[in-house]
Every structure is written in C-alpha cells, then in structure tokens.
Amino acid sequence: MPGRRPLLSRTTGVFAYGATAGLAVDLLVGDPRRGHPVAAFGRAAGRVEQALWRDHRGWGALHTAVCAGAAVAAGALAARTVRGSRAGSATLTAATVWAVVGGTTLGREARAIGGALAAGDLEVARERLPHLCGRDPQSLDGPAMARAVVESVAENTSDAVVGALFWGAVAGVPGLVGFRAVNTLDAMVGHKSPRYRRYGWASARLDDVAGWPGARLTAALATVAGGNPRGAVRAWRADAAKHPSPNAGPVEASFAGALGIRLGGTLSYAGRVEHRPVLNGEGRPVEVADIDRAVRLSRRVTGLTLAACVGGRMIASALKRRNA
C-alpha cells in the first residue's frame, strides 16, 4: 500500500513552521534596536535616490525597480541557497518573518504613547508619536493623538504584518522581502511633497497594488476578531471608499466599526493640513483606553492571518495534487 501523504507539503510546512517561529521571536523580542535589515535597506535605497533623483516619473520608476528588484533577487538567492534543507529553509523563513514584520514593536510604541496620555504627559506623548506615524505632534492635543495612534495601529497591522505574511504565503522568502521593500519605498518617497510628487509616483502605485490583498484580508479579519462584526462591515462598506488611500480605507474603517469608535477628520503632516472623511460616524470619539483595545485587536488579527495563510497554502496544495 502506498504511504499516507503528509498533512503539510514540504513548501507549506516550511512556511507554516518558519512563519510561526518568526512571529514567536517577534512576540518575544520585537524589532532589533540596531542593525535592523529594513533600516539597512532604507539606507541603501537612500543612496540609490541620491544617484538617480530627477523630478520625473521615469527616474522614480527606475529607482523603484532597482531597489525592489534587488531585494527580491536577494531573497530568491538566499532561498535557493538553502533549498535542499527543510530545516534551513524553515530557519530562513523564520528569520525573514522576524525581520519584516513589526507587530510587537507597533504595539509597544502605541501603548507607550497611551501610557503617557493616560498620565497627562502630552510632551512625552508628542516625543514618541513620530516613532509610530508621520503626523505633526505639535498640532495635536490628547484626543487627536489617541486617534492618530489607533489609526496607525490599524494601518500598520496591514502594512507591517498581514501584507507581509500574505505575500510570504504566496511567494515565500522573496515575497516577504519584496513586500517589505515596496512598503518601505512608499514610506520614503511615496508621499505628495514637491520633491516626490513625480519621483515617488511609481513607488506609491506599486505599494497600492502590493498592499491591496493584505488590506482586504486585514479588514475581513478585523471584522471577525472585533467585538462588533455588524458595525465593522457597515463602516467598511459605507466609508472605506471615502478614504484617500485605497488600502488604508478598508482597514481603518473596519477597525473603527469593530471598536465602535470614530476615526478620520482633520490631521496635519509637517504643516500640511488634510481634511479626511469621518469613518464610522455612528461611533464615539476615540479615548485613550481604545489604544490598548486596538493593539489587542491587531494581535488577534495577526494570529488569524497566520492561520488563514497556512490554511490557504494547504488548500492550494491539495488542489494541485488533485489536478496532477
């Protein structure tokens, strides 16, 4: 009789064990304070920008292709090097997941700001806010900072965790590295300042495409994991499209509905004021205690993402075997 097929195929097992181990390491130690691979990539991308910058979309597209392409190639080369060893492949996946996700540090920074706000120390909260988002802290009072933190937790759950795991499930280590590279490039040059309006266009558009599936998965899982599924679905359907970002909209709206709070409104980036639409207008204003609730929701979404990605790989593998 032929032997029973293993529950997990080789590649699915590598991803499942590696991603679980990588998330466990992130949970235990968070991001490294020095020598972070993403920071090293950012420095390299900055040097490429110095060499290539022109106020032109074509040169910006070249910058995006060089930086993201090099990251994907490096990930593919590393995966190929350990391809013959299941343990080596799982270890590389674990190390890569730890390097590219940032859920634990995200939660720590958010809770540190929440603690300062709860203690009434607005100056400390303002000092820490730039570690989490690009808002102008001097223009924000306590409630506005609490809202900024919750919005950042929601958006970065998609960008720093879910999106990376999704692409890791689809394309392994190159997918993990490539997604994080694209996301980092968008943060560096993808904003609409005079310097980057044209040069950063390609990075911003590629980030929109790469982040699309992870954002929808984040919104769906926040609906499942939150305390108010109906409210999350209602806010997602009614308000997500109003947001200027095609990916932040579904995530922030579903978090707002799940937590029963109101997000959006006026904000300031380096002196540039934006008036964004309100998300979940039926909710109440954000309170400091909602920061911890958002962090706990983010962690539940992370766990469900791992399960969904492993389950999706198992289903794809089973269908592939059936059709072979």
Side-chain angles (χ1 to χ4, degrees):
M1 292 179 60
R4 291 181 60 189
R5 288 178 175 174
L7 180 62
L8 299 180
S9 68
R10 184 184 188 281
T11 56
T12 300
V14 164
F15 174 77
Y17 300 135
T20 301
L23 288 176
V25 174
D26 178 65
L27 182 63
L28 291 173
V29 302
D31 290 340
R33 298 197 174 191
R34 295 182 179 179
H36 198 298
V38 175
F41 171 81
R43 290 191 294 270
R47 288 192 289 270
V48 174
E49 179 190 339
Q50 290 176 0
L52 295 181
W53 189 89
R54 306 286 191 281
D55 190 16
H56 190 275
R57 284 186 176 184
W59 285 95
L62 178 60
H63 171 257
T64 303
V66 168
C67 295
V72 172
L77 179 61
R80 183 181 180 86
T81 301
V82 299
R83 185 174 56 183
S85 168
R86 188 167 186 166
S89 296
T91 300
L92 176 64
T93 300
T96 307
V97 167
W98 174 55
V100 303
V101 303
T104 295
T105 298
L106 171 66
R108 287 176 181 172
E109 290 293 338
R111 282 174 165 156
I113 298 170
L117 291 174
D121 197 336
L122 297 186
E123 288 308 310
V124 170
R126 290 191 177 106
E127 288 176 6
R128 298 197 70 103
L129 188 64
H131 299 170
L132 195 64
C133 64
R135 309 282 175 90
D136 179 6
Q138 300 306 318
S139 68
L140 303 178
D141 58 12
M145 278 191 280
R147 192 191 81 202
V149 171
V150 172
E151 290 172 351
S152 295
V153 168
E155 185 172 0
N156 282 297
T157 298
S158 176
D159 288 344
V161 182
V162 179
L165 290 175
F166 172 85
W167 284 109
V170 170
V173 169
L176 288 163
V177 174
F179 176 80
R180 190 60 168 159
V182 169
N183 190 248
T184 303
L185 289 172
D186 177 61
M188 294 178 67
V189 304
H191 37 89
K192 295 182 179 179
S193 66
R195 177 178 175 85
Y196 296 122
R197 186 177 298 275
R198 282 180 283 272
Y199 187 81
W201 177 86
S203 291
R205 298 291 78 75
L206 183 58
D207 182 68
D208 287 344
V209 172
W212 195 95
R216 274 73 192 167
L217 179 58
T218 303
L221 295 180
T223 299
V224 173
N228 186 356
R230 288 186 178 180
V233 171
R234 181 177 62 249
W236 182 0
R237 294 180 61 183
D239 300 328
K242 301 175 184 177
H243 198 286
S245 168
N247 294 332
V251 173
E252 291 185 19
S254 62
F255 263 67
L259 297 172
I261 56 177
R262 186 167 64 245
L263 298 177
T266 302
L267 51 85
S268 176
Y269 286 100
R272 176 170 53 88
V273 176
E274 291 186 16
H275 300 285
R276 292 186 177 176
V278 172
L279 306 177
N280 193 39
E282 298 180 6
R284 58 172 174 76
V286 176
E287 300 172 355
V288 173
D290 293 317
I291 293 176
D292 187 69
R293 295 177 64 222
V295 171
R296 286 187 277 116
L297 176 56
S298 175
R299 287 187 172 178
R300 292 194 296 272
V301 168
T302 298
L304 289 174
T305 300
L306 178 61
C309 288
V310 173
R313 286 205 61 133
M314 291 176 65
I315 293 171
S317 179
L319 291 175
K320 184 178 180 180
R321 286 200 300 263
R322 174 185 290 183
N323 295 329

